[in-house]
């Protein structure tokens, strides 16, 4: 899953980026409102963590601009401005969740995972689909009673598939959602990782649609 982290504190941004990457997210960073508004309007993100007190453009205005253009990306506001009336303003502007500073990173990660599952209509404590159960803490998947350890990219790819069972995705779309903005992966990397997942999960869960891409949860 690809995440946009908007935070103007360099130290906090670096530490959060590392924790989010360790949790299996491809993370792009913006440190001011203009860059955030541009990236959120032109790139494909699965979720955004948005500070409000930003240089060049306030985070609240960034959020309002996204919502005015029907950008429905899930947004967690992360800010020191956490008085009740400021939270109300944030939700009115289109925030999906709101967390005040200071905060524990474990709570932020839990909120990110919960919002992603809720956004995709999946309310189980653990992400489950098509006979698989994904443990996001250990980055393992349970299949047929056995547990399989996943590499970082395998985990990102499988989590994306499990949130979208039955949908056909091109290689380009999948690349956009599992690699960050400045990455330059090989052209066949999706094929390589799909084949790795098939070896771990069996050949029946990820089908190839000739000329279209890949679909999870459909017999190959």
């Amino acid at each position: 899953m690809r995440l946009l982290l908007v935070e103007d504190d360099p130290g906090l941004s670096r530490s959060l980026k590392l924790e989010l990457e360790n949790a299996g997210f491809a993370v792009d960073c913006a440190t001011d409102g203009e860059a955030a508004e541009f990236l959120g309007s032109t790139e494909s993100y699965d979720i955004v963590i948005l500070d409000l007190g930003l240089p060049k453009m306030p985070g609240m205005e960034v959020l309002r601009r996204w919502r005015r253009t029907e950008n429905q990306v899930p947004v967690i506001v992360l800010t020191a401005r956490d008085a009740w009336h400021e939270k109300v303003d944030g939700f009115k502007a289109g925030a999906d969740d709101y967390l005040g500073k200071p905060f524990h990173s474990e709570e932020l990660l839990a909120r990110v995972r919960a919002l992603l599952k809720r956004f995709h209509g999946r309310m189980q404590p653990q992400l489950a689909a098509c006979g698989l159960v994904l443990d996001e803490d250990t980055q393992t998947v349970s299949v047929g009673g056995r547990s399989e350890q996943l590499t970082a990219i395998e985990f990102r790819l499988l989590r994306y598939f499990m949130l979208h069972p039955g949908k056909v995705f091109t290689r380009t779309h999948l690349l956009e959602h599992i690699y960050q903005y400045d990455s330059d992966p090989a052209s066949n990397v999706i094929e390589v990782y799909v084949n790795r997942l098939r070896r771990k999960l069996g050949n029946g869960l990820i089908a190839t649609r000739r000329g279209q891409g890949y679909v999870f949860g459909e017999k190959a």
Side-chain angles (χ1 to χ4, degrees):
M1 310 294 286
R2 191 172 173 200
L3 182 151
L4 176 61
L5 172 62
V6 186
E7 172 58 60
D8 66 330
D9 181 320
L12 180 57
S13 180
R14 278 194 301 272
S15 64
L16 270 182
K17 183 175 192 290
L18 181 60
E19 292 204 45
L20 291 161
E21 287 175 340
N22 288 339
F25 294 93
V27 181
D28 292 340
C29 293
T31 57
D32 65 66
E34 287 183 358
E37 197 274 337
F38 174 76
L39 284 172
S41 299
T42 57
E43 298 294 322
S44 298
Y45 292 106
D46 297 290
I47 191 165
V48 175
I49 298 172
L50 177 66
D51 190 11
L52 295 185
L54 297 169
K56 297 186 179 179
M57 185 189 300
M60 199 72 82
E61 178 58 21
V62 173
L63 181 56
R64 290 193 182 100
R65 290 191 182 196
W66 286 341
R67 295 317 189 211
R68 276 201 296 268
T69 57
E70 300 187 359
N71 183 338
Q72 299 300 317
V73 64
V75 173
I76 297 177
V77 169
L78 181 65
T79 180
R81 302 174 184 175
D82 63 345
W84 69 266
H85 56 88
E86 292 170 315
K87 293 180 182 179
V88 170
D89 289 343
F91 285 118
K92 285 182 176 178
D96 298 282
D97 198 358
Y98 205 109
L99 182 60
K101 297 176 181 176
F103 64 96
H104 293 284
S105 56
E106 292 87 351
E107 182 180 0
L108 176 61
L109 278 175
R111 286 173 182 262
V112 167
R113 290 166 175 164
L115 179 54
L116 278 171
K117 285 199 271 286
R118 190 164 71 243
F119 187 75
H120 293 283
R122 301 192 169 274
M123 307 309 291
Q124 314 98 317
Q126 287 187 306
L127 180 57
C130 303
L132 305 181
V133 179
L134 193 66
D135 188 321
E136 296 179 272
D137 291 325
T138 61
Q139 300 191 7
T140 59
V141 60
S142 175
V143 50
R146 77 174 190 283
S147 179
E148 290 281 355
Q149 186 70 48
L150 302 169
T151 67
I153 299 301
E154 289 169 357
F155 174 73
R156 289 182 192 176
L157 183 59
L158 182 58
R159 181 167 56 185
Y160 195 77
F161 275 136
M162 290 178 69
L163 284 170
H164 304 87
K167 294 185 179 179
V168 180
F169 294 117
T170 65
R171 293 175 186 176
T172 300
H173 180 100
L174 292 170
L175 282 171
E176 288 176 349
H177 285 268
I178 65 171
Y179 283 96
Q180 56 205 46
Y181 184 73
D182 54 359
S183 296
D184 186 23
S187 60
N188 68 337
V189 70
I190 294 297
E191 183 179 2
V192 169
Y193 280 103
V194 164
N195 286 334
R196 288 187 183 185
L197 286 175
R198 283 171 173 160
R199 285 197 290 273
K200 293 184 176 182
L201 309 177
N203 288 325
L205 279 174
I206 305 174
T208 301
R209 292 276 188 89
R210 189 175 298 277
Q212 295 177 294
Y214 298 99
V215 56
F216 171 79
E218 187 174 278
K219 293 293 184 183

